[in-house]
């Protein structure tokens, strides 16, 4: 049941990650904001099921591990697209995805769930996205 609950939004996030009509930097920002929005909606809609997921995640269940792996895969695809088109700097899209995921933990990790309802959380995420994208931005050739 928890797997189905987690998978409900996976496809919407995957669509964002795979939309090559959108430049990778914008896609990365949109995807990170969508992850936060999904987490906020889940905690509001069913706090008890969200708490159950927290227990599974704390126990390092395969459901939680698979969920994180799926998110990292989507993030890796976005970064790989940016590296391929020269808009993002990354020699290893998977490693870069892990860094971005860890840098944005406040906006998706269960330990920070209480903060997700703060009025300025979206603006905070946008500031973090700007900083990350500045660091990932590939300089243009003269």
């Amino acid at each position: 049941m928890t797997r189905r609950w987690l998978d409900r939004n996976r496809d919407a996030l995957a669509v964002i990650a795979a939309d090559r009509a959108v430049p990778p930097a914008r896609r990365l920002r949109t995807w990170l904001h969508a992850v936060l929005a999904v987490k906020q909606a889940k905690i509001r809609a069913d706090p008890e099921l969200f708490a159950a997921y927290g227990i599974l995640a704390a126990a390092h269940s395969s459901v939680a591990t698979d969920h994180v792996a799926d998110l990292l895969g989507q993030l890796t695809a976005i970064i790989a697209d940016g590296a391929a088109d020269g808009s993002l700097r990354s020699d290893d899209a998977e490693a870069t995805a892990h860094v971005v995921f860890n840098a944005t933990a406040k906006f998706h990790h269960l330990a920070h769930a209480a903060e997700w309802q703060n009025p300025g959380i979206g603006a905070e995420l946008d500031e973090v996205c700007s900083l990350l994208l500045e660091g990932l931005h590939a300089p243009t050739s003269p």
Side-chain angles (χ1 to χ4, degrees):
M1 181 165 112
T2 306
R3 187 179 303 275
R4 279 196 316 265
W5 180 74
L6 286 170
D7 286 350
R8 263 191 280 169
N9 300 101
R10 180 190 59 206
D11 293 342
L13 294 171
V15 167
I16 294 167
D19 187 357
R20 291 202 167 133
V22 177
R26 187 167 357 132
R27 205 174 342 147
L28 179 61
R29 184 183 300 268
T30 300
W31 186 87
L32 288 167
H33 276 278
V35 169
L36 173 62
V38 163
K39 300 285 184 167
Q40 289 172 316
K42 284 181 184 283
I43 201 168
R44 279 193 305 264
D46 198 337
E48 291 163 357
L49 196 50
F50 195 86
Y53 171 66
I55 292 166
L56 286 173
H60 303 290
S61 77
S62 64
V63 172
T65 301
D66 291 348
H67 173 66
V68 170
D70 188 53
L71 293 177
L72 283 168
Q74 292 177 22
L75 194 50
T76 299
I78 295 168
I79 293 166
D81 286 349
D85 76 7
S87 63
L88 299 177
R89 187 176 46 216
S90 175
D91 293 334
D92 182 342
E94 187 175 347
T96 303
H98 276 88
V99 170
V100 169
F101 197 72
N102 290 335
T104 58
K106 176 179 180 175
F107 308 100
H108 59 77
H109 192 281
L110 296 171
H112 300 279
E115 299 173 65
W116 298 340
Q117 301 310 314
N118 291 345
I121 195 75
E124 283 183 50
L125 175 56
D126 212 44
E127 291 171 355
V128 171
C129 287
S130 293
L131 184 65
L132 289 169
L133 287 168
E134 178 76 23
L136 289 171
H137 180 71
T140 55
S141 301

